[in-house]
Amino acid sequence: MTKTLKCDVLVIGTGIIGSMAALYLQNAGREVVLLERGEVARGASSGNAGILAFPEIIPIPAPGIMKKAPRWLFDPLGPLSVPPAYAAKIAPWLWRFWRASAERSFRHGLKSLTDLNRLAAMEMAHVAAMPELSHLVSKTGTLDLYDSEASLNAARRDWDEKESAGFTFQRVGRPEIEELQPGLAPQFRHAMFSPDGLQVSDPYDFNRAIFDLVIARGASLRKGEAERIDAVGESTIVTLENGDKIDADRVVIACGAWSRKLVATLGSIVPLETERGYNTTLSPNAFNLTRQLYFNDHGFVVTPLSTGIRIGGAVELGGLELKPNFRRAEAMLKKAGRFLPGLKLEGGKQWMGFRPSMPDCLPVIGTARVTPSVIYAFGHGHLGLTQSAATARLVTQLASGEDTEISIDPFRPGRFS
Ligand SMILES: Cc1cc2nc3c(=O)[nH]c(=O)nc-3n(C[C@H](O)[C@H](O)[C@H](O)COP(=O)(O)OP(=O)(O)OC[C@H]3O[C@@H](n4cnc5c(N)ncnc54)[C@H](O)[C@@H]3O)c2cc1C
């Protein structure tokens, strides 16, 4: 026999977006039930690089990107790949991505990301000050490394934009680089250093600590997969795969890369795809890593986590079903070994995760067209951890019918319709 549960707010998905939204909703006095079909906090949010990358305000679809892309695509293990089996399916998304790289759209994206990431920095500061979470966030500083002076100069416009947005950094040469990160290969003579760079100790631990806190404060977890959502008069009914129903006053959809199918049941067509990313986590003493390192000309980062040294990045436009190609993780690890001579490469753990990505590199935050009771919160691409607290603030304001802190028009679900 099927059952119907009634609740105030149902949050679907326990990744960083769902868990953080639950925390904020609870702080606003809402009673929250979380729904999860798999293991709690084991989606994309569990294995990412752990960087709170607030200065990353430059949309990936930027003018000139389509000239660079073929060069990357030519290298099968390079930073960007499209598996042949998925090429036809991803074509409409790539078309929209290309359109988003036009100067006008780029500037719109830049402003929208700047507003969101500034809010994100402010909100995350509140979260990081909570006694239950403060030990999980630290300021290590970020070193953005370039292969040559020409390559850093080519990125000058991006750094100028970041500076105008109020983020601080300084250009450094070999002596400072050696001081900031001893042991880097001598080829790295040009870098930007952001002393305020923040990170979490480990993204799974951070996500899990938020989830556990929300449960300890009275929220409950329901296991199951949401299959469809129906707006029936004043009610919103979520039907699970076993036929059980949840009747909620508000529903938040935070299903990461899997959100498209669910919102389609409400009639929303969103061009959500996944940018699959890879990494390898080595033991914490594989290298004396002092801070986050971005290898900008190679599309990967190295982060010192409490659980190990994580080397990862890459974008594979391969959908949700194809098997992982861990040669991508191996290729990045091999390069890291060259860039950090002395890095102990043995015994690493490989991982692949699904970034939930929109073609314009902006998340989807807004209400369903058919009912304001269903709130969409997904599509954060490369920046879900970074933007989680800002998203949670906006979701909570939408749930209580308040004005939002910043305009959410750039993030509206129907912007590609
Ligand atoms: C290699 C890599 C490195 C990254 N590095 C960073 C970084 O340094 N900083 C940063 O800010 N971001 C980073 N990201 C991006 C970030 O990880 C994602 O944007 C973020 O994790 C998305 O969070 P989410 O909660 O939306 O999705 P997820 O964490 O994937 O959570 C979605 C949850 O929804 C559940 N679910 C799905 N469908 C249903 C359903 N129908 N019913 C019930 N439950 C459902 C899933 O089981 C899952 O638990 C990185 C990503 C990758 C892949």
Side-chain angles (χ1 to χ4, degrees):
M1 209 175 69
T2 59
K3 291 178 246 141
T4 300
L5 170 81
K6 268 187 168 288
C7 72
D8 179 23
V9 184
L10 178 71
V11 176
I12 311 177
T14 59
I16 193 63
I17 300 296
S19 298
M20 194 70 92
L23 179 70
Y24 270 69
L25 286 157
Q26 206 174 44
N27 284 347
R30 308 297 300 239
E31 279 177 30
V32 180
V33 173
L34 287 126
L35 176 69
E36 173 56 60
R37 65 172 182 190
E39 220 185 302
V40 164
R42 282 293 182 193
S45 306
S46 65
N48 64 46
I51 301 173
L52 294 166
F54 307 116
E56 295 304 314
I57 54 168
I58 313 296
I60 299 169
I65 184 102
M66 293 316 253
K67 280 196 204 127
K68 286 189 206 153
R71 185 163 26 102
W72 293 332
L73 283 169
F74 195 65
D75 174 359
L77 295 179
L80 171 68
S81 76
V82 181
Y86 205 69
K89 287 203 177 120
I90 196 75
W93 187 94
L94 280 172
W95 163 252
R96 291 182 166 117
F97 178 88
W98 173 70
R99 290 189 54 146
S101 71
E103 183 68 31
R104 213 173 132 202
S105 311
F106 168 75
R107 299 236 60 99
H108 169 76
L110 176 66
K111 160 133 192 19
S112 312
L113 275 181
T114 303
D115 292 347
L116 186 60
N117 283 11
R118 276 200 190 128
L119 178 65
M122 259 161 39
E123 292 300 333
M124 192 58 87
H126 297 311
V127 172
M130 293 175 66
E132 299 88 346
L133 302 171
S134 58
H135 62 292
L136 299 174
V137 180
S138 61
K139 194 194 274 194
T140 53
T142 310
L143 198 54
D144 273 81
L145 296 149
Y146 291 87
D147 285 1
S148 65
E149 189 168 11
S151 156
L152 194 159
N153 288 341
R156 194 65 236 180
R157 169 174 145 156
D158 294 356
W159 288 102
D160 289 345
E161 295 291 0
K162 292 179 192 183
E163 187 168 41
S164 314
F167 297 105
T168 49
F169 52 86
Q170 64 209 63
R171 190 169 177 153
V172 291
R174 183 67 198 179
E176 296 96 331
I177 292 175
E178 267 174 28
E179 217 170 278
L180 289 164
Q181 179 55 68
L184 263 164
Q187 77 192 75
F188 296 105
R189 316 185 62 78
H190 306 277
M192 301 300 282
F193 176 53
S194 312
D196 298 329
L198 288 178
Q199 65 167 85
V200 296
S201 59
D202 174 87
Y204 171 73
D205 291 350
F206 185 64
N207 191 157
R208 187 71 212 208
I210 294 169
F211 173 84
D212 289 344
L213 182 59
V214 169
I215 297 293
R217 289 179 175 181
S220 59
L221 171 67
R222 177 78 194 254
K223 292 307 289 281
E225 176 163 356
E227 257 191 4
R228 61 171 296 116
I229 304 178
D230 294 280
V232 189
E234 294 289 283
S235 308
T236 304
I237 310 288
V238 177
T239 306
L240 310 194
E241 85 292 355
N242 64 358
D244 284 357
K245 294 184 190 301
I246 303 177
D247 176 351
D249 189 53
R250 295 283 184 279
V251 174
V252 179
I253 302 181
C255 298
W258 298 272
S259 303
R260 187 171 68 188
K261 212 167 111 193
L262 196 55
V263 300
T265 67
L266 284 158
S268 298
I269 309 296
V270 289
L272 180 74
E273 274 289 345
T274 180
E275 292 175 74
R276 295 147 55 119
Y278 291 84
N279 64 40
T280 306
T281 308
L282 302 170
S283 97
N285 51 22
F287 195 82
N288 186 13
L289 193 65
T290 55
R291 63 197 73 251
Q292 308 151 30
L293 305 178
Y294 283 54
F295 292 100
N296 279 305
D297 295 314
H298 304 272
F300 74 92
V301 299
V302 182
T303 336
L305 301 174
S306 58
T307 43
I309 290 181
R310 185 160 292 166
I311 297 132
V315 166
E316 185 183 60
L317 297 168
L320 294 166
E321 306 296 338
L322 292 184
K323 274 199 194 145
N325 174 4
F326 283 112
R327 283 168 60 221
R328 288 197 173 286
E330 282 153 28
M332 288 184 278
L333 184 64
K334 215 164 136 196
K335 274 192 180 173
R338 275 198 279 122
F339 298 163
L340 295 166
L343 178 67
K344 296 188 195 98
L345 302 176
E346 322 63 57
K349 196 170 163 223
Q350 294 175 325
W351 178 82
M352 191 266 275
F354 298 96
R355 297 185 191 93
S357 298
M358 295 292 283
D360 55 2
C361 200
L362 301 177
V364 175
I365 306 170
T367 55
R369 190 176 45 80
V370 289
T371 170
S373 301
V374 180
I375 300 163
Y376 297 173
F378 55 82
H380 295 78
H382 295 239
L383 293 174
L385 170 64
T386 304
Q387 296 168 345
S388 56
T391 302
R393 161 69 65 212
L394 298 169
V395 163
T396 304
Q397 289 172 328
L398 285 171
S400 48
E402 290 168 19
D403 289 343
T404 50
E405 206 77 26
I406 57 171
S407 166
I408 53 164
D409 190 59
F411 316 121
R412 67 191 183 283
R415 64 188 185 268
F416 286 98
S417 306

